[in-house]
Amino acid sequence: MKSTEHWLVHDHTQIEDLLRHCCEEAEIYDWWALERYLTEFIGQLRYHVAQEEEVLYPAYDARRAPEHMFTDDLYEDHNRIIDTIRKIHRLVEAQQKEGLVELFKELVDIMFEHNQREEHVFLPFASHLLCEDRDELSEKLDNFALSKKSRVWGV
């Protein structure tokens, strides 16, 4: 049986590593490397967020009782993350140094807080709540593809 407590946590590690590379390149204004890492970071994060918003969160919301944790804060985190990425993307496209490092620091903080909430609160709880659906959800996550209903990021 697959563990549900670790759904998508490996993605967090990979995405955080790409973000670390982006921050390093932003600090020295290596625009070529930064664009490369930022493009990969955005692509992986876009896929990850879509998996959560289109598979995992709706499955959880369908089963949760009124007193259980709401996913509203997790969706709002996604909004803040995407908004910050849009700002970063605009600065990188214009090769504008002013405010870039600060925006990356803000993004790191938002993502750290979000990932902690998911990994230590949401996913352990969702694991128990969605235990009966584990195999079906794992298959949906494994075979997931972005679609027209996936959120548009504008980057």
Side-chain angles (χ1 to χ4, degrees), residues 7 55 132-143:
W7 275 330
V55 178
E132 294 175 20
D133 303 324
R134 174 182 38 236
D135 292 338
E136 177 186 346
L137 289 171
S138 291
E139 185 175 331
K140 283 182 179 180
L141 291 170
D142 289 344
N143 297 316

Side-chain angles (χ1 to χ4, degrees), residues 28-40:
I28 61 172
Y29 306 110
D30 183 341
W31 300 111
W32 180 85
L34 178 54
E35 284 184 33
R36 193 181 98 227
Y37 283 120
L38 186 61
T39 298
E40 188 174 348

Side-chain angles (χ1 to χ4, degrees), residues 121-138:
V121 179
F122 173 74
L123 288 174
F125 191 71
S127 176
H128 295 293
L129 192 63
L130 300 172
C131 187
E132 294 175 20
D133 303 324
R134 174 182 38 236
D135 292 338
E136 177 186 346
L137 289 171
S138 291

Side-chain angles (χ1 to χ4, degrees), residues 54-78:
E54 295 175 39
V55 178
L56 202 51
Y57 295 172
Y60 171 85
D61 287 336
R63 285 195 171 258
R64 76 165 177 78
E67 68 273 11
H68 293 159
M69 175 188 174
F70 287 85
T71 56
D72 295 357
D73 288 343
L74 299 173
Y75 282 105
E76 183 54 33
D77 288 347
H78 287 174

